[in-house]
Amino acid sequence: MEICCEGYLEIEGLWAAVLGNENDDKKIILARSKLILLVDPMLFVHIQDTATAKEIWVNFQKAFEDSGLTRKVSLLRKLITTKMDECASMEEFVNVIMSTSNKLSSVGMKVSDEWIGTLMLAGLPDYYQPMIMEIESSGVQISGDYVKTKLLHKFKIFSPYW
């Protein structure tokens, strides 16, 4: 939701009001109003006493920022247990791995690029073993981007559904 709100307010020329860098009262009021209209009414409890878009944003950050151990464990568990067979497509599988690793990074737990690539390979079904052996014998440094490109490029060749 955060990226959607930010993008929407940037397009509207109102993001500066959220950052507190706006002096135009009309833009400040407009940015606050647009944020209020973007959120579910159940979340109004977090913003009912705010006067500016910046206050709304700060309140939401406080309410929903979760960088604790439980969040890290949950994301790490998701990262290491994601299997391609459980995803609707190779694109979804790759996106889940990449986005989960980015979320871990945002809560202060950096996952190395080599680990991301290795976890992608570990989540593949057994019929991808020839491709994994090919990568291993190539001597190429394993990275998330390398494996992602390889998987998305070669998906149709190795897919039993093709």
Side-chain angles (χ1 to χ4, degrees):
M1 164 109 172
E2 180 180 335
I3 192 76
C4 295
C5 289
E6 182 178 341
Y8 175 70
L9 292 174
E10 283 177 342
I11 287 171
E12 296 290 319
L14 301 171
W15 185 244
V18 173
L19 299 176
N21 300 331
E22 183 62 64
N23 295 323
D24 183 343
D25 287 341
K26 286 183 180 181
K27 284 188 174 185
I28 293 169
I29 292 167
L30 187 58
R32 180 179 181 276
S33 299
K34 289 194 182 253
L35 277 176
I36 290 169
L37 293 171
L38 286 171
V39 300
D40 189 295
M42 290 178 53
L43 300 176
F44 287 170
V45 67
H46 299 291
I47 60 175
Q48 63 191 11
D49 296 325
T50 60
T52 66
K54 182 178 181 176
E55 289 176 21
I56 289 175
W57 201 254
V58 168
N59 284 6
F60 279 144
Q61 285 179 320
K62 287 178 187 174
F64 297 106
E65 182 178 41
D66 184 6
S67 59
L69 182 61
T70 303
R71 176 79 170 146
K72 288 177 184 176
V73 169
S74 172
L75 288 169
L76 188 57
R77 184 175 289 130
K78 181 177 182 178
L79 184 65
I80 62 176
T81 61
T82 298
K83 303 291 180 210
M84 193 260 185
D85 288 342
E86 298 166 359
C87 296
S89 66
M90 181 60 76
E91 289 84 4
E92 180 186 337
F93 171 68
V94 169
N95 286 338
V96 168
I97 297 286
M98 297 302 286
S99 68
T100 305
S101 66
N102 287 336
K103 289 175 186 174
L104 272 166
S105 185
S106 73
V107 295
M109 190 170 187
K110 177 80 172 110
V111 180
S112 78
D113 200 33
E114 182 178 10
W115 265 99
I116 294 168
T118 303
L119 289 168
M120 274 190 235
L121 294 174
L124 295 173
D126 288 339
Y127 55 84
Y128 280 85
Q129 195 59 38
M131 187 186 79
I132 295 170
M133 290 173 22
E134 174 192 326
I135 291 171
E136 183 180 33
S137 65
S138 73
V140 173
Q141 177 69 35
I142 300 296
S143 72
D145 283 338
Y146 176 77
V147 174
K148 173 179 74 172
T149 302
K150 196 85 161 161
L151 290 176
L152 295 176
H153 177 70
K154 293 204 172 193
F155 174 68
K156 292 182 180 172
I157 295 171
F158 291 100
S159 174
Y161 310 109
W162 186 66

